């Protein structure tokens, strides 16, 4: 049967396409599209022809079988100011070289040494909390994971620069969300928003360059990811320019804390909303750890913790979309995808599809009980993406989330604040639009 020309989808506004609906409905828009029109949907986001793909088999074609036909799409290319030609945003030979070097730097024996450090930094965060106080858990988790990744990348604390780096990253996010879909509009016009954005990016550059210079000079760098990258580059005979190092460090600095910070935030919120799941998790921690801090050797024994994390990443995938651009025309699900079209794969949509998950919107860690994940189609659950561009930080991320969660829950649990709105705002990642206010409850009040 010849391929059909264009899949079904909404007509949209003559100029803006479906941009107004996306801005109004957020993640609900893509979900509505997939449920109304099917596994391949066409719409236009301002001037960008977009194909929403939501069937695991088609996703596998894009990310694995036919991955060479797809490059990073305009959405990510737009992020070049932050990531430069780093691992996340580059393509082709540049990407392949960076991936080899990155993989070498991320060798397992390095990651294993991070568990104790994650415990220390988490304990430092927890030590600031008081029984009964309201906290913005999102803010706390982002700050903590930023401190952890800075330590791993540069081998030292960034002290006061951390505050400024966090502020600059927030400005970047606001800028990204404002420009979403409007990439043809120039951002060099000196509007107050654009100027603020440029200032923030310049400051972030300074912080990163300073940290690289300091890291290169210091003895500590041997035990940092920066040191790992430098020696991996030397092994491959690839001398690193400051610009290349800046791009990789900026990429890892951002990807290495934003996603894990969000995963921890959404997990604490889900546990606050589901005391029965929280009780099971606490019981497991009690049995496996008793009174002592978690170590790397404990992680495989924390089965329920693992299910909770998997379920949280299913419902609130921090990197909630994988987007590509077709290099050549191809066929997906019987439809022609033209050259240059954007292909959007939204984990939020697929991981909440009732065809693969019973009661898809319910938080049920038990659904991950032994063996059930293997019965799923391969790309029904893919919070870390897949194929050659699978997340390079996956193992580290899962370790950090489990260790930090176990460390937090030994001392505190959280309850949601009634009336505080909680809604994910899709930007580059899935951030909670209003932060997440929760009440901290000390597990042993006399001890804190
Ligand atoms: C829960 C935590 C995390 C989630 C859900 C996540 C998710 C993802 C996803 C979906 C991709 C694929 C993007 C695409 O195909 O377009 C990706 C790529 C990537 N991630 Fe993660 N990530 C996490 C943690 C991390 C951490 C901790 C680091 C670094 C320390 C990291 C570094 C990267 C990099 C560099 C890439 C690009 C890899 C490449 O294209 O070769 N991520 N991540």
């Amino acid at each position: 049967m010849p391929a059909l020309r264009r899949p079904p989808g909404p007509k949209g506004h003559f100029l803006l396409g479906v941009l107004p609906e996306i801005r109004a409905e957020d993640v609900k828009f893509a979900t509505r599209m997939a449920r109304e029109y099917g596994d391949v949907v066409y719409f236009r986001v301002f001037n960008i022809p977009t194909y929403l793909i939501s069937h695991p088999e088609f996703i596998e074609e894009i990310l694995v079988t036919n991955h060479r036909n797809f490059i990073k799409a305009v959405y990510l290319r737009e992020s070049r100011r932050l990531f430069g030609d780093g691992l996340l945003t580059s393509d082709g030979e540049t990407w392949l070289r960076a991936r080899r070097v990155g993989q070498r730097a991320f060798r397992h024996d390095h990651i294993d040494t991070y568990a104790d450090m994650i415990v220390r930094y988490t304990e430092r965060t927890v030590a600031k909390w008081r029984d009964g106080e309201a906290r913005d858990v999102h803010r706390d988790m982002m700050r903590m994971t930023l401190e952890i990744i800075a330590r791993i990348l540069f081998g030292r604390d960034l002290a006061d620069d951390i505050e400024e780096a966090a502020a600059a990253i927030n400005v970047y996010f606001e800028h990204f969300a404002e420009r979403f879909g409007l990439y043809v509009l120039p951002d060099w016009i000196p509007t107050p928003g654009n100027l603020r954005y440029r200032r923030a990016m310049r400051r972030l550059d300074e912080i990163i360059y300073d940290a690289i210079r300091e890291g290169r000079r210091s003895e500590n760098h041997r035990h940092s990811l920066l040191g790992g990258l430098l020696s991996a580059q030397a092994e491959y005979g690839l001398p690193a320019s400051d610009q290349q190092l800046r791009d990789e460090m900026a990429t890892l600095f951002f990807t290495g804390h934003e996603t894990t910070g969000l995963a921890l935030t959404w997990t604490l919120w889900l546990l606050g909303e589901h005391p029965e799941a929280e009780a099971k998790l606490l019981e497991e921690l009690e049995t496996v750890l008793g009174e002592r801090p978690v170590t790397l050797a404990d992680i495989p024994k924390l089965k329920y913790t693992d299910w909770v994390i998997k379920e949280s990443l299913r419902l609130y995938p921090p990197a909630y979309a994988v987007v590509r651009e077709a290099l050549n025309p191809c066929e997906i699900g019987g439809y022609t995808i033209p050259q240059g079209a954007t292909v959007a794969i939204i984990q939020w949509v697929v991981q909440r599809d009732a065809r693969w998950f019973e009661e898809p919107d319910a938080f049920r860690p038990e659904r991950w009980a032994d063996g059930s994940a293997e019965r799923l189609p391969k790309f029904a659950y893919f919070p870390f993406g897949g194929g050659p561009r699978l997340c390079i930080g996956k193992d580290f991320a899962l370790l950090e989330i489990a260790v930090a969660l176990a460390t937090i829950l030994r001392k505190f649990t959280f309850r949601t604040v009634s009336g505080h709105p909680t809604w994910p705002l899709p930007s580059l990642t899935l951030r909670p639009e209003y932060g997440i206010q929760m009440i901290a409850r000390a597990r042993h009040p006399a001890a804190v």
Side-chain angles (χ1 to χ4, degrees), residues 211-430:
I212 292 174
R213 262 193 301 275
E214 181 66 27
R216 275 184 146 157
R217 262 201 310 265
S218 143
E219 272 298 293
N220 285 345
H221 95 247
R222 290 212 206 110
H223 309 292
S224 68
L225 206 54
L226 172 63
L229 276 181
L230 288 170
S231 45
Q233 270 162 336
E235 261 175 63
Y236 285 107
L238 300 165
S241 70
D242 271 4
Q243 174 72 42
Q244 278 168 318
L245 271 181
R246 179 246 163 248
D247 292 351
E248 288 314 340
M249 285 292 137
T251 299
L252 294 172
F253 192 50
F254 174 84
T255 53
H257 85 280
E258 170 74 21
T259 45
T260 46
L262 284 173
L264 282 163
T265 304
W266 290 116
T267 305
L268 289 174
W269 178 72
L270 283 163
L271 289 172
E273 292 273 294
H274 297 87
E276 66 301 336
E278 185 188 81
K280 287 185 198 162
L281 208 166
L282 293 179
E283 194 185 312
E284 175 174 271
L285 295 179
E286 209 76 59
T287 313
V288 176
L289 305 178
E291 291 301 304
R292 63 177 176 80
V294 61
T295 65
L296 185 68
D298 297 316
I299 300 299
K301 293 179 219 147
L302 298 176
K303 285 263 188 298
Y304 195 79
T305 311
D306 179 49
W307 299 349
V308 164
I309 295 168
K310 281 205 175 86
E311 185 67 343
S312 166
L313 292 174
R314 182 182 74 81
L315 285 173
Y316 292 89
Y320 67 100
V322 171
V323 189
R324 297 284 191 269
E325 186 177 304
L327 280 175
N328 295 298
C330 62
E331 195 205 304
I332 294 179
Y335 296 105
T336 303
I337 309 292
Q339 177 183 13
T342 290
V343 173
I345 301 165
I346 316 268
Q347 283 102 322
W348 174 282
V349 172
V350 184
Q351 295 179 177
R352 287 172 179 250
D353 189 326
R355 286 177 292 180
W356 329 119
F357 299 97
E358 227 180 281
E359 286 189 72
D361 294 328
F363 176 68
R364 281 188 15 207
E366 285 74 10
R367 72 170 85 239
W368 296 102
D370 298 335
S372 48
E374 281 85 74
R375 291 192 290 276
L376 286 172
K378 193 161 167 214
F379 280 90
Y381 179 78
F382 54 113
F384 293 97
R389 307 219 54 164
L390 177 77
C391 175
I392 203 167
K394 179 179 174 214
D395 293 345
F396 167 69
L398 289 173
L399 175 75
E400 182 182 8
I401 298 166
V403 169
L405 193 63
T407 308
I408 290 171
L409 292 176
R410 280 183 62 227
K411 294 276 164 68
F412 279 93
T413 57
F414 287 91
R415 283 293 162 268
T416 45
V417 174
S418 70
H420 176 73
T422 305
W423 183 247
L425 177 71
S427 174
L428 192 57
T429 54
L430 202 64

Side-chain angles (χ1 to χ4, degrees), residues 78 175 179 183 185-191 194-195 197-198:
E78 172 74 12
H175 186 78
R179 279 179 61 76
Y183 306 122
L185 303 182
D187 68 355
W188 46 262
I189 300 171
T191 60
N194 286 343
L195 288 173
Y197 165 71
R198 266 188 263 164

